[in-house]
Amino acid sequence: MAVTGDETAATGDMPAYQIRTPTTTLPQGVVMAASPGTLHSPQQMAEEATRKRELRLLKNREAAKECRRRKKEYIKCLESRVAVLEVQNKKLIQELETLKDICSSKTD
DNA sequence: ACGCCCCCGCGTCAGTCAAC
DNA sequence: GTTGACTGACGCGGGGGCGT
């Protein structure tokens, strides 16, 4: 089989594109937050909240892109597997017909 | 040229899950 | 309980095909 066949190997009921691998890398240019103990004024708190939100959106944006890429790959993989199985099915049907012919000619 | 429809990719939100 | 990663769902905008 040309397909990897690992879509159910690791997690049972989870599609391959859903298998979660830990990612700790941040997008370029992202700076981690200052520790909460260093914050003082309400303005600083608000700026920190805004910065955190922007960071979260940025990361989620990247995660969504990656998620869609994996999903497309997964679907592509399934489609090629379908193609392989269809060819295999045709061959088996053909073989069955041949065997039927042989059997019927013998009983005649 | 124009409107309409369909498809695709994107950004965002909300919910879930696992790790801590 | 909190946090971060992941993903389904939703809405939006752009591009292409098609009929008028």
Side-chain angles (χ1 to χ4, degrees), chain A residues 35-90:
Chain A
S35 64
T38 64
L39 294 173
H40 301 292
S41 68
Q43 183 177 348
Q44 276 178 314
M45 300 284 279
E47 282 173 3
E48 176 66 8
T50 302
R51 207 197 55 76
K52 273 189 177 176
R53 172 182 158 77
E54 282 172 359
L55 179 60
R56 181 172 53 80
L57 289 180
L58 176 64
K59 283 178 138 186
N60 188 242
R61 203 177 300 143
E62 295 301 315
K65 279 183 195 169
E66 182 62 16
C67 179
R68 285 164 180 146
R69 189 194 64 77
R70 277 199 299 268
K71 190 172 183 177
K72 279 182 78 175
E73 202 177 338
Y74 173 67
I75 288 171
K76 217 167 138 185
C77 187
L78 285 183
E79 284 171 346
S80 66
R81 189 174 174 193
V82 166
V84 167
L85 290 175
E86 277 175 349
V87 169
Q88 197 177 345
N89 195 37
K90 268 186 187 173

